[in-house]
Amino acid sequence: MRLIFLGPPGVGKGTQAKQICEHYKIIHLSTGEILRKEIFDKSLVGNEAKTYIDNGNLVPDRLILGIIENRLKENDTQQGYLLDGFPRTISQAEGFQKITLQLKHRLNGVISLTANEEELIKRLIKRGKDSGRSDESPEIIRHRQKVYWTQTAPLLEYYTQEKILKKVDGLGNITDITKRILETIS
Ligand code: AMP
């Protein structure tokens, strides 16, 4: 099973990704988490990514595509994966398509989790108080939402045209949303 989770910051992609990965026994790949670890380790990639992340901007496509390509060539991802937070631009989606063609990986679906924007901002501000993340101040949260709508939302149309986009309401309790996602996939 190979899936992509799309959705604005705060919609619960990370939480749902964990549930779905457990269900299908597949690898959860969150580019945000990978980047935060690189920053923590003070690696070259981490050093390059830090300013973009702290300002709520997207890290350059080439850097992200390099991370994904390496990760998808490893053994543990051959049984399946869920991409959480990737792709985030049309150019990343095109790069991803090339990688999957090369690896002969077929995508099973793209799940778009939806929610009202003001509700998301409220949720994120609450989470930001104790997440310890450097990009969860109210101003950066608003900026990240804007970045999503301008740079990432065009992917909804892209995957609609590919006929693999499935929309799931991301509001409600965690178990209900997981059920909705599983029903949509099967
Ligand atoms: P996330 O944990 O998915 O909210 O990502 C946190 C931050 O990491 C984002 O605001 C971006 O700065 C960066 N990031 C994560 N994934 C990507 C991606 N696919 N492309 C560019 N930047 C990304």
Side-chain angles (χ1 to χ4, degrees), residues 9 13 30-33 35-36 49 52-54 56-61 64 84-89 92 127 133 135 144:
K13 292 190 297 294
S30 151
T31 41
E33 271 175 25
L35 290 167
R36 282 188 286 280
Y52 295 98
I53 294 189
D54 287 352
N57 290 318
L58 295 184
V59 168
D61 293 335
I64 295 287
D84 158 15
F86 172 90
R88 266 203 171 65
T89 61
Q92 287 181 21
R127 175 173 103 182
R133 277 177 56 162
D135 59 352
R144 282 167 52 215

Side-chain angles (χ1 to χ4, degrees), residues 34-55 59-60 62-63 67:
I34 295 172
L35 290 167
R36 282 188 286 280
K37 177 160 190 315
E38 295 285 345
I39 292 175
F40 183 81
D41 293 344
K42 296 196 163 52
S43 70
L44 277 177
V45 169
N47 290 342
E48 190 178 345
K50 187 170 172 18
T51 318
Y52 295 98
I53 294 189
D54 287 352
N55 291 317
V59 168
R62 98 187 124 71
L63 213 139
I67 292 175

Side-chain angles (χ1 to χ4, degrees), residues 124-125 127-129 131 133-138 140-141 144:
L124 278 171
I125 291 177
R127 175 173 103 182
K129 292 199 176 114
S131 75
R133 277 177 56 162
S134 56
D135 59 352
E136 294 208 328
S137 69
I140 302 291
I141 286 169
R144 282 167 52 215

